[in-house]
């Protein structure tokens, strides 16, 4: 039985690359070592969840199985007839597929956006305003004596983060691991992560920016302007936290959607970035976003080198145009601006607001995904695809922007996202030549 | 078999000693050949200046540049150099283009090709993020590429130097090049990257690196020795300590002197000092800041073991990006600019800060002058490589502008006549009347690179060389570059023809074809026993400190669609 070592878990932004996978003669994964519960369920989910078996096209209201060729033909027709297509998702797939998706969007004059539109998009805006002072996860492992989790809950969302990269890991300058580090959690409720912290700071809902501003004031020597209580936290506690930050040798702030999606959105990320810059006047400090989907970082990277922009890219003028708030997936759906959609490796059906979904239901939708999900209900053409990281290889970027090559672990009859997108490009060209 | 005959080319090829002579060039299957058959396609160069394809030996065009793009979406729309910047819609032959200082990958390929460049060297690649660099290389069309691997604050390197293990050190360097598919050894602010891990810096060549008990000087000498032991095609490529600080010219000269004792294993320099402009500052602070170029150039004129590149400043917006983490943080605080940082575990630091150079700023004006002073005060052009450290000093699309600075004293005067008296008093440029010839320009932009990087098939048009050729729309002898600098600039802004491997990729300034370029990397052979002893130490590093496993660290073949493996035999 082949045993594959150093396999990569393609579930969350931790991209753990130390998984051992055993595959039997029937091409089934029989054993998974080192993965957490989430990762484990992804590997075994492969065989438990209902896969879409064949390409499908909606005929008389029903999705019916068709040949790959027919589905390709239908999808290409939708794309060629559309005046403004939205291409959306592309975060749970390989960089190679993302690259092809961008090419397709360019050739069809589409808008392309990633799931960052509903999670860490605001951190990109914050970086555009103030920059992003970060480090790779191993730097935290080896140096950080203060780890702050802000608006994130790794115990549930990134289960191996703390053991591999942060709180519990051991490194050169933190040989004792957890005993050598302080751990602080800032959140609106006492999460399971907070229960493990040395210090838990509970803040009022949506008051992150107030807290950031108060901390910056104290760190910059203006504690006198800070009122007795900020964001629901007594001043005493703030002073204590600021002192801890200044007196630690290496501080890392891990921030999650609790920060990027709470009130003030990108201004929060902007504030954290300024806080980090100020802290560096006293000690060493960095920040890292806790990205959820395993390759949402990769979409931002590939899109940036290929188009200049990390998301919400509009090719209708032939060159990339970017104006989040105007060209984001939600924006163009809510404004009913697009007349077709290509959705891959994502599920807006489950995550988008009602108004956006109502429009999505009205327009032709092409879906590429290994599994049926609520978006399938809205789809007119469906391409089943290989599960990237298990049935298909390719690059993904960890939350700290380190690229790792995901392995192909088992054989598959399904085409990859990359192949399907490539075929779509060809088909669209063929139809355009014919026209 | 594809054949081309270029007739009436006015060839300037310093490696062959040819100075603007009318000749014919024969091309077969991507190479320059002695002769071609009667079936060859004939192109009439009409006496135009014909050079080997340009070779940018130090540019930031893949990897870290993405952080610059990410932070500065506004750069995408900037169009200060029409035809070579800004937004360009896709065509049947080209992908969509954006940007000026941080263009997208496609624009980088097309624009370099329009300038007559066919090879670039990405100057800073941390091994752990090398895969990313190669992913961008894949999307840069036309150009041949290579990357320099950052090793100047690497734990394994520092420990081997501290423990006096030169053989294991060489084995590690060889492995790091292989793992990252790198071409040479880059050292940035030796030891400073590690110090920056604690928010600190090293202050000079003899300031020990915290916790590692080695000095920057020892790092430089250790890596230089390993470099020569491995017989690498390039020398160590050094960004000196104290970059950007007034008074740093002393550190720069000290560093250069230290290398007098390093014996080069090949027919090339034993040291390359990069973007020397940023390291040739005199004065004790910003108030009495002034040029250090006379001192540095004086030393270089008497030395024959080193080369340097200019790092010329261009007025207007630029984006600084370097592994010199502490410098970028200091920049951002001084200029109140946004700041990105990326420390890389066990390896190095890095930072990105946008800024703008203004002729009104006395500091920027002096910086502008220092680059040109270095290029003009150093007598032997075979020591000088032409760069703007793109986009640190400014974007590479300004190369035609820099060419006019070097070839026309009048043009220089036009620029510095706008400077304040205070600035003029801190530079020596106004007293320099040297104007480069096409021959000297060809040395600095392609010939020296061929020698520096030991790539004999590049940077010249001898039989057997790559048919990478640039034909510029100007006929030497009919133009006086000194007075007609605007025409000169125009001609260098868009070639009449650029050939890549014998294929016409640019014609009359427009992209014709967009083939995939090569990626060069070095496989330095190390005796088995030494390698396996080193691997044991390395395994421990991966087990205890890295967060990526060793097998997933190595850049896979998939990332090099057209690899060229350069094998060297070490001297063990
Ligand atoms: S932490 Fe994330 S990447 Fe690691 S095993 Fe769990 S789900 Fe997979
Ligand atoms: Zn540089």
């Amino acid at each position: 039985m082949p045993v594959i070592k150093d396999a990569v878990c393609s579930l969350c932004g931790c991209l753990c690359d130390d998984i051992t996978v055993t595959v039997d003669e029937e091409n089934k994964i029989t054993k998974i070592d080192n993965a957490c519960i989430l990762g484990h369920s992804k590997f075994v989910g492969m065989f438990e969840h209902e896969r879409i078996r064949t390409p499908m096209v909606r005929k008389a209201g029903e999705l019916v199985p068709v040949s790959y060729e027919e589905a390709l033909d239908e999808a290409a027709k939708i794309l060629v007839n559309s005046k403004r297509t939205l291409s959306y998702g592309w975060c749970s797939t390989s960089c190679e597929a993302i690259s092809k998706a961008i090419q397709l969007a360019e050739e069809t004059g589409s808008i392309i956006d990633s799931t960052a539109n509903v999670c860490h998009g605001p951190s990109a805006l914050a970086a555009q305003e103030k920059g992003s002072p970060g480090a790779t996860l191993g730097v935290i492992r080896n140096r950080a004596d203060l780890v702050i989790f802000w608006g994130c809950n790794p115990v549930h969302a990134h289960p191996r983060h703390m053991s591999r990269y942060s709180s519990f890991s051991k490194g050169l300058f933190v040989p004792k691991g957890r005993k050598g580090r302080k751990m602080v959690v800032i959140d609106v409720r006492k999460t399971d992560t907070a229960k493990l912290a040395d210090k838990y700071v509970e803040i009022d809902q949506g008051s992150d920016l107030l807290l950031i501003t108060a901390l910056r004031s104290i760190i910059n020597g203006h504690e006198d302007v800070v009122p007795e209580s900020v964001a629901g936290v007594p001043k005493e506690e703030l002073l204590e936290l600021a002192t801890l930050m200044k007196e630690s040798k290496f501080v890392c702030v891990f921030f999650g959607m609790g920060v990027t999606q709470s009130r003030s959105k990108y201004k929060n990320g902007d504030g954290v970035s300024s806080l980090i810059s100020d802290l560096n006047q006293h000690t060493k400090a960095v920040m890292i976003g806790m990205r959820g989907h395993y390759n949402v970082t990769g979409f931002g990277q590939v899109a940036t080198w290929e188009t200049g922009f990390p998301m919400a890219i509009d090719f209708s003028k032939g060159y990339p145009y970017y104006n989040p708030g105007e060209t984001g997936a939600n924006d163009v759906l809510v404004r009913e601006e697009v007349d077709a959609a290509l959705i891959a490796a994502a599920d807006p059906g489950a995550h988008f607001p009602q108004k956006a979904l109502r429009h999505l239901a009205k327009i032709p939708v092409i879906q590429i995904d290994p599994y049926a999900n609520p978006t399938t209900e809205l789809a007119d053409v469906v391409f089943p695809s290989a599960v990237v990281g298990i049935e298909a290889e390719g690059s993904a970027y960890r939350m700290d922007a380190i690229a790792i090559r995901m392995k192909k672990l088992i054989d598959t009859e399904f085409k990859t996202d990359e192949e399907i997108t490539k075929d779509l490009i060809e088909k669209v060209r063929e139809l355009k030549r014919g026209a | 078999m594809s054949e081309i005959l270029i007739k009436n080319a006015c060839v300037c090829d310093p490696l062959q000693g040819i100075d603007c002579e009318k000749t014919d060039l024969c091309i077969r299957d991507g190479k320059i050949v002695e002769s071609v058959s009667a079936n060859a396609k004939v192109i009439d160069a009409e006496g135009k200046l014909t050079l080997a394809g340009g070779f940018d030996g130090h540019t930031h065009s893949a990897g870290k540049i993405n952080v610059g793009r990410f932070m500065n979406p506004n750069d995408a729309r900037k169009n200060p150099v029409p035809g070579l910047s800004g937004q360009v819609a896709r065509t049947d032959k080209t992908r969509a283009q954006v940007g000026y200082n941080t263009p997208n990958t496609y624009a980088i390929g097309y624009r370099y090709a329009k300038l007559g460049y066919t090879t670039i060297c990405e100057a800073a690649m941390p091994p752990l993020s090398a895969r990313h660099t190669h992913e961008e290389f894949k999307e840069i069309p036309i150009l041949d590429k290579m990357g320099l691997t950052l090793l100047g604050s690497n734990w394994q390197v520092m420990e081997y130097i501290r423990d006096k293990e030169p053989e294991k050190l060489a084995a590690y360097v060889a492995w790091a090049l292989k793992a990252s598919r790198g071409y040479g050894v880059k050292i940035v602010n030796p030891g400073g990257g590690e110090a920056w891990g604690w928010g600190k810096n090293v202050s000079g060549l003899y300031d020990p690196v915290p916790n590692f008990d080695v000095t920057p000087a020892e790092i430089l000498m250790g890596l230089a020795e390993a470099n020569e032991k491995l017989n690498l095609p390039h020398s160590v490529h050094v960004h000196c300590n104290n970059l950007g600080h007034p008074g740093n010219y002393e550190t720069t000269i000290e560093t250069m002197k230290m290398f007098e004792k390093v014996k080069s294993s090949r027919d090339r320099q034993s040291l390359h000092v990069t973007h020397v402009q940023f390291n040739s500052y005199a004065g004790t602070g910003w108030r009495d800041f002034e040029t250090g170029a006379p001192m540095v150039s004086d030393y270089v004129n008497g030395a024959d073991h080193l080369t340097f590149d200019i790092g010329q400043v261009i007025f207007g917006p630029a984006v600084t990006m370097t592994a010199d983490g502490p410098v970028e943080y200091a920049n951002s605080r001084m200029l109140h600019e946004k700041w990105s940082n990326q420390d890389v575990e066990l390896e190095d630091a890095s930072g990105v800060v946008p800024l703008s150079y203004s002729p009104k700023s006395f500091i920027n004006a002096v910086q502008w002058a220092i680059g040109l002073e270095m290029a003009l005060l150093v007598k032997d052009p075979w020591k000088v490589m032409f760069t703007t450290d793109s986009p640190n000093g400014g974007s590479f699309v300004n190369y035609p502008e820099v060419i006019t600075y070097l070839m026309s004293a009048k043009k220089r005067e036009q620029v510095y006549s706008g400077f304040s008296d205070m600035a003029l008093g801190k530079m020596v440029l106004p007293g320099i009347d040297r104007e480069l010839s096409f021959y000297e320009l060809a040395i600095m932009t392609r010939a020296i690179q061929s020698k520096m990087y030991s790539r004999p098939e590049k940077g010249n048009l001898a039989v057997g060389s790559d048919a990478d050729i640039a034909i510029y729309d100007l006929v030497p002898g009919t133009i006086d570059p000194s007075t007609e600098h605007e025409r000169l600039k125009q001609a260098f802004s868009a070639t009449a023809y650029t050939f890549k491997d014998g294929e016409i990729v640019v014609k009359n300034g427009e992209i014709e074809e967009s083939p995939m370029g090569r990626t060069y990397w070095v496989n330095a052979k190390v005796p088995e026993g030494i390698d396996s002893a080193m691997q044991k130490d390395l395994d421990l590093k991966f087990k205890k400190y890295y967060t990526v496993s060793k097998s997933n660290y190595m850049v896979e073949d998939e990332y090099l669609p057209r690899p060229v493996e350069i094998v060297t035999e070490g001297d063990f």
Side-chain angles (χ1 to χ4, degrees), chain A residues 205-222:
Chain A
Q205 185 88 39
S207 66
D208 304 76
L209 192 55
L210 289 176
L211 183 75
I212 294 164
T213 312
L215 283 172
R216 285 189 65 196
S217 301
I218 299 169
I219 285 162
N220 293 332
H222 308 297

Side-chain angles (χ1 to χ4, degrees), chain A residues 324-364:
Chain A
E326 179 195 352
T327 55
N330 253 310
D331 308 313
V332 289
L333 283 172
V334 166
R335 286 202 313 274
E336 307 194 350
E337 257 183 44
V338 286
D339 59 4
L342 166 61
I343 290 160
D347 188 13
H351 299 117
F352 272 25
Q354 270 311 314
K355 197 153 181 242
L357 288 183
R358 268 204 297 280
H359 186 61
L360 208 52
K362 278 190 257 171
I363 60 176

Side-chain angles (χ1 to χ4, degrees), chain A residues 265-279:
Chain A
K265 288 201 169 180
Y266 84 89
K267 280 285 167 199
N268 294 335
D270 180 327
V272 177
S273 184
S274 303
L275 172 65
I276 297 296
S277 178
D278 294 345
L279 254 183

Side-chain angles (χ1 to χ4, degrees), chain A residues 9-16 19 34-36 38-39 157-161:
Chain A
C9 172
S10 56
L11 189 107
C12 81
C14 284
L15 278 177
C16 300
I19 315 293
N34 295 345
C36 70
L38 291 181
H158 301 88
R160 296 184 70 210
H161 189 282

